[in-house]
Amino acid sequence: MSFDLVLFGGTGDLAWRKLLPALLQAHRHGSLPAGGRIVGVARDDLSDAQYRDLIRSRFEGVEGDKQPSEDEFARFAELLHYQRMDLTQPADYQRLKDRLAERNADVVVMYLATAPQLFTVACEQLGAAGLATPHTRVVLEKPLGHDLQSNRAINAAVRGVWGERQIFRIDHYLGKPSVQNLLALRFGNALFEPWWRRETIASIEITIAERLGVEKRGAFYDQTGALRDMVQNHALQLLCAIAMEPPINAHADAIRDEKLKVLRSLVPWTDAALAQNVVRGQYGAGQLAGEPVRAYRAEDGVAPDSHTETFVALRAGIANWRWAGVPFYIRTGKRLAAHEAHIAIHLRPTPHPIYPTPLVCGTNRLVIHLQPRDGLALHLLAAASETRGVRALAEAPSLTPVQLDLDFQQRFGAERVGAYERLLLDVIAGRLNLFVRADEQEAAWRWVEPIMQHWDAQNARGEGPRPYAAGTWGPGAASALVARDANTWLEEC
């Protein structure tokens, strides 16, 4: 199958850091279909050769198995081409159409790795130029809008050009091997289904922590914030994977139907719940790995009086029979103490304990590690071996925490398919299972929008985000949030 992948924003940060390295890995693995062509599109004035040199420089200094050999990159470079375009100029779309007509590939993928405000004009111009054909697919990067209204406007413009089955709204967390294993864990093993419910599970924690700050994305991030950047998409998609009912099959719409039910079942916000169950923070100066780091407001591109949140912690609930009364804690932030993402499922204690148990929070829990480690650990209690004297037969043995640990990288090898590699291959093949449907996005925006409105009202009163020092786990109010339910975050156990 021949394909053309047109990468709008072909010299941008996302293409540089994620997309082109993922395509190179797919080519190295032999999974990229033969007869392909990658056309980078941007406003820079480059030739094909200059574009190839630019992408080659991306891998200078890369260590380990991510570093391609000269021969490997030379073969990959044969796929790389470049087209200078101004996305607001209709004549440039006609030139792109002429270039694509040279091959008439079986599949054409339009990947919009651009600023979201360009999605509408790009789609409308692609349609006007006759580039939205039945064998064309469009990929939309997050964030898709900045609120419910803008999300609906973008989706309406895109659906005016393409059918829903041609639209691939990407969330790279859904392509992570660990998230795929979460679905396999739930729906491929009979062991877990009987206790995957409120009667057995006491609480669930989703943490996505980053040690990095905003880096070179200060201007973008200051208009976005952690809620839009991480919670509305990544965190809620993880929540759906944990909480959804078993789909009738593994087809795309069956899975997405069940995720939508979860989003629609989230307990809606009230003023009292917003005040008590949502914490926002912003990092100040601090230290990471012994090195001083500057405050968020001192970052390039950030307003010196910014109220943009770099940290969010919240308590959510799901109003259905499976999850009624189970708190779901979501936490994400920048400049935190670790680079780590995990899902911790804390089980209820035994109804009638007959052994003395150690004072360990969430004594029985399942922890699904997403990054940097990829695996899962089941935390249990076992009888401690006795090495000092003989115990009375009538005395119950003491228990000690133990864990069953599975490291997916060790089990399956380091050359596993990465998130973007998997998703790009799925786009080319036309598989929609790991992509987000429009009604899912709308439901997610509808749930988070009251939080944004609550913060706007706080800002108007001069109440900004809570400060926290870089290198910590965020504001102290985040610990108080879970402590009200007699719970703790995983690192506090």
Side-chain angles (χ1 to χ4, degrees), residues 98-112:
D98 294 340
R99 188 161 192 175
L100 296 179
E102 297 168 1
R103 285 181 7 111
N104 195 26
D106 298 324
V107 172
V108 177
V109 175
M110 304 291 184
Y111 198 121
L112 300 184

Side-chain angles (χ1 to χ4, degrees), residues 244-257:
M244 64 190 278
E245 295 296 318
I248 59 172
N249 55 44
H251 296 162
D253 280 332
I255 293 171
R256 298 192 292 186
D257 285 346

Side-chain angles (χ1 to χ4, degrees), residues 43-54:
R43 299 183 68 170
D44 306 86
D45 191 7
L46 300 173
S47 66
D48 287 355
Q50 289 172 321
Y51 187 58
R52 291 164 184 159
D53 288 341
L54 174 67

Side-chain angles (χ1 to χ4, degrees), residues 17 43 45 84 111 150 161 201 225 267 272 302 360 364 438 460 492:
R17 290 187 302 109
R43 299 183 68 170
D45 191 7
R84 184 184 181 280
Y111 198 121
S150 59
V161 179
I201 294 176
V267 176
V302 174
V360 178
N364 293 147
E492 297 170 338

Side-chain angles (χ1 to χ4, degrees), residues 317-390:
I318 299 175
N320 63 24
W321 277 33
R322 183 182 291 268
W323 299 114
V326 176
F328 286 74
Y329 305 112
I330 293 174
R331 175 180 59 165
T332 185
K334 290 188 174 295
R335 289 294 189 209
L336 297 182
H339 172 66
E340 182 179 336
H342 62 253
I343 301 166
I345 301 170
H346 298 275
L347 306 185
R348 298 187 185 280
T350 54
H352 178 63
I354 62 173
Y355 298 105
T357 57
L359 297 176
V360 178
C361 61
T363 301
N364 293 147
R365 60 185 181 272
L366 176 66
V367 181
I368 301 160
H369 297 280
L370 306 176
Q371 65 181 28
R373 181 186 168 202
D374 179 10
L376 58 90
L378 182 60
H379 295 252
L380 306 170
L381 292 175
S385 60
E386 291 299 326
T387 59
R388 296 174 298 187
V390 179

Side-chain angles (χ1 to χ4, degrees), residues 173 182 203-209 230-231 233-243 312-314 316 318 327-333 340-346 368 370 482 489-490:
Y173 259 67
L182 171 59
S203 65
I204 294 177
E205 169 197 334
I206 300 170
T207 286
I208 307 172
M230 300 296 291
V231 176
N233 37 74
H234 298 331
L236 286 184
Q237 285 294 319
L238 291 176
L239 184 147
C240 287
I242 300 164
V312 178
L314 59 85
I318 299 175
F328 286 74
Y329 305 112
I330 293 174
R331 175 180 59 165
T332 185
E340 182 179 336
H342 62 253
I343 301 166
I345 301 170
H346 298 275
I368 301 160
L370 306 176
V482 297
W489 298 104
L490 186 61

